[in-house]
Amino acid sequence: MIRRAVILTLAAMAGMPLGACGQDFNAAPPNAASQRPAFEGQTRAPIIDAGVELHSTVIADGLEHPWGMHQLPGGDWIVIERPGRMRLISASGEISRPIIGLPEVDAQGQGGLLDVLVREDFEKTRRVWWSYAEPHGKGRNATAVATGLLALDGTAMTDVRVIFQQQPAWNSNLHFGSRLVFDRNGALFVTTGERSKPKPRQLAQNVSTHLGKVLRIDPMGGPAAGNPQIKDGLPEIWSLGHRNIQSAALGPDGALWTVEHGPRGGDELNRPAQGKNYGWPIVTYGEDYSGSPIGEGITAAQGMEQPLYYWDPVIAPSGMAFYEGEMFPEWRGSILIGGLAGQALVRLTLDGTRVTGEARYLQGRGRVRDVDVAHDGAVMILTDSDNGALIRLTPKN
């Protein structure tokens, strides 16, 4: 299938700039109105980039709920669709047939193919890693990670090995996570969800499970060397107390940064440190979907880390990248995050680990499921819908 690259002037279509619109997103009332941040600047950072315009090119559309992407060294993009399809998309918009040879996925609800990535030596090794919802029978499923070798013609995956299976499996179609990130030592971070339901939700605090954790594994299976020694804990665990992490990236400082979904309020930016507890579901900046408190409704507790930044109302984060490219020099060092409920590309500026400003682009123009930076510095996004698209963003001259 071939899709013609289409240049869109969405600003003209909407009658406003394709950028950080005049809408004051900080004016929206919070869901958990009685909660207060633990420190100044922990939420609602000053709005930046008002009126900035971007140029948008649709590289490929007609994708069914695309959830993850990674650019190959040669310039093609490897893209996954939630129902279980992995494809190659060329810079000119040519979409391949689905790559064969992948394990069976459970594509119920939020399940399916979840993320994909390669290392810099891909042209030599042809090795690909991906995460997915793995069926376990009787309605149960779990987040899993597999690796395989992509054939030279890009049509098939061979030597496929499942290198991680989340324990325990659960009968739920929600909160699988999952993002994959390599650290500078070659270990593979895997983020997971806590499966959402009231009973498994509590297991985010249970170190004998993989639910609601950041995990760090060897890229060919087993725990990575150098993980924290947590009493009675599984050896893959890096950090615990997370709800559902669908945004993760390695920062310029070499540390893992994540953004996880809160309930109604309480999306969190964290820099997970080894062995630390990030509180869910004991503490959270947010409330349940019913409007009732989560647990005791507290936002802090001894031995539990505070988020570096949080949102209420939520942006519903998915996909994340640090910008270090040449095309947007003023964006260097910023975090770029996809917003689902927020229907925006979110940019955060930093001073060390402190958030100093927030901008939102493409507001109201679709759910942004993943964010990446192309080799040439363009910002790439995936929109999540039955007619999802791979879109290239560049500065508007």
Side-chain angles (χ1 to χ4, degrees):
M1 175 168 32
I2 298 177
R3 300 284 181 184
R4 180 173 55 89
V6 181
I7 306 298
L8 297 183
T9 310
L10 295 183
M13 292 170 59
M16 62 180 63
L18 177 57
C21 305
Q23 177 186 356
D24 183 359
F25 47 82
N26 279 346
N31 293 296
S34 64
Q35 295 180 350
R36 296 292 181 268
F39 54 86
E40 185 177 357
Q42 194 182 21
T43 190
R44 301 192 182 221
I47 296 174
I48 56 174
D49 274 8
V52 166
E53 297 183 48
L54 305 177
H55 189 71
S56 176
T57 304
V58 176
I59 301 301
D61 60 6
L63 302 169
E64 185 177 0
H65 295 289
W67 270 45
M69 60 179 163
H70 197 98
Q71 190 171 27
L72 301 181
D76 289 352
W77 290 86
I78 188 165
V79 175
I80 56 171
E81 295 170 281
R82 191 184 69 201
R85 294 182 289 271
M86 183 184 295
R87 304 179 186 271
L88 297 178
I89 300 179
S90 71
S92 62
E94 183 176 356
I95 305 174
S96 77
R97 293 182 178 275
I99 295 167
I100 63 173
L102 275 59
E104 181 184 1
V105 305
D106 190 336
Q108 301 178 72
Q110 296 173 359
L113 283 178
L114 304 172
D115 201 14
V116 63
L117 84 167
V118 305
R119 292 196 291 206
E120 292 180 355
D121 61 356
F122 170 78
E123 289 188 324
K124 178 180 178 181
T125 67
R126 306 294 297 178
R127 186 162 292 281
V128 179
W129 286 262
W130 63 95
S131 56
Y132 63 104
E134 179 183 57
H136 282 244
K138 298 182 179 179
R140 298 176 305 129
N141 45 40
T143 300
V145 180
T147 183
L149 303 178
L150 182 63
L152 287 172
D153 64 3
T155 62
M157 202 71 70
T158 63
D159 188 31
V160 173
R161 311 177 194 181
V162 178
I163 60 170
F164 169 76
Q165 295 171 303
Q166 183 186 48
Q167 300 295 333
W170 209 271
N171 190 334
S172 171
N173 62 9
L174 301 171
H175 292 195
F176 295 90
S178 157
R179 293 295 177 184
L180 305 177
V181 179
F182 281 111
D183 73 9
R184 290 180 177 175
N185 295 318
L188 180 62
F189 284 113
V190 181
T191 71
T192 69
E194 35 68 287
R195 310 312 310 281
S196 181
K197 294 183 177 181
K199 187 174 180 180
R201 173 187 294 178
Q202 307 305 317
L203 299 181
Q205 291 292 322
N206 186 328
V207 294
S208 68
T209 79
H210 294 127
L211 276 65
K213 310 294 192 298
V214 173
L215 309 168
R216 184 171 174 271
I217 65 173
D218 184 281
M220 295 309 293
N227 280 353
Q229 301 298 309
I230 299 173
K231 183 181 178 181
D232 300 323
L234 295 175
E236 298 89 358
I237 294 175
W238 180 261
S239 62
L240 63 144
H242 301 285
R243 185 171 182 265
N244 187 29
I245 303 176
Q246 291 187 338
S247 300
L250 207 67
D253 56 0
L256 179 73
W257 294 62
T258 63
V259 190
E260 66 187 79
H261 289 268
R264 292 184 68 212
D267 291 347
E268 293 185 4
L269 171 69
N270 289 302
R271 186 174 175 269
Q274 57 179 343
K276 298 295 186 179
N277 186 338
Y278 288 81
W280 179 260
I282 297 172
V283 298
T284 181
Y285 287 95
E287 62 186 15
D288 217 335
Y289 296 110
S290 65
S292 61
I294 300 289
E296 297 180 5
I298 60 176
T299 60
Q302 185 175 2
M304 296 181 178
E305 305 300 307
Q306 282 289 311
L308 300 176
Y309 191 72
Y310 73 86
W311 290 265
D312 182 8
V314 300
I315 59 169
S318 189
M320 179 178 181
F322 278 83
Y323 191 84
E324 298 295 335
E326 300 296 327
M327 198 171 288
F328 295 87
E330 67 278 12
W331 286 16
R332 288 184 195 139
S334 296
I335 301 175
L336 305 178
I337 305 160
L340 296 169
Q343 294 194 38
L345 172 67
V346 178
R347 181 167 82 92
L348 301 180
T349 54
L350 298 172
D351 180 3
T353 60
R354 183 174 67 90
V355 174
T356 59
E358 178 175 350
R360 299 188 189 181
Y361 312 94
L362 317 177
Q363 288 189 98
R365 291 169 175 83
R367 292 160 54 88
V368 179
R369 174 59 68 177
D370 199 12
V371 182
D372 207 344
V373 180
H375 299 330
D376 65 358
V379 174
M380 307 295 293
I381 63 172
L382 285 175
T383 58
D384 177 16
S385 70
D386 291 335
N387 182 28
L390 173 64
I391 299 174
R392 172 182 167 90
L393 302 176
T394 55
K396 187 172 183 180
N397 297 327

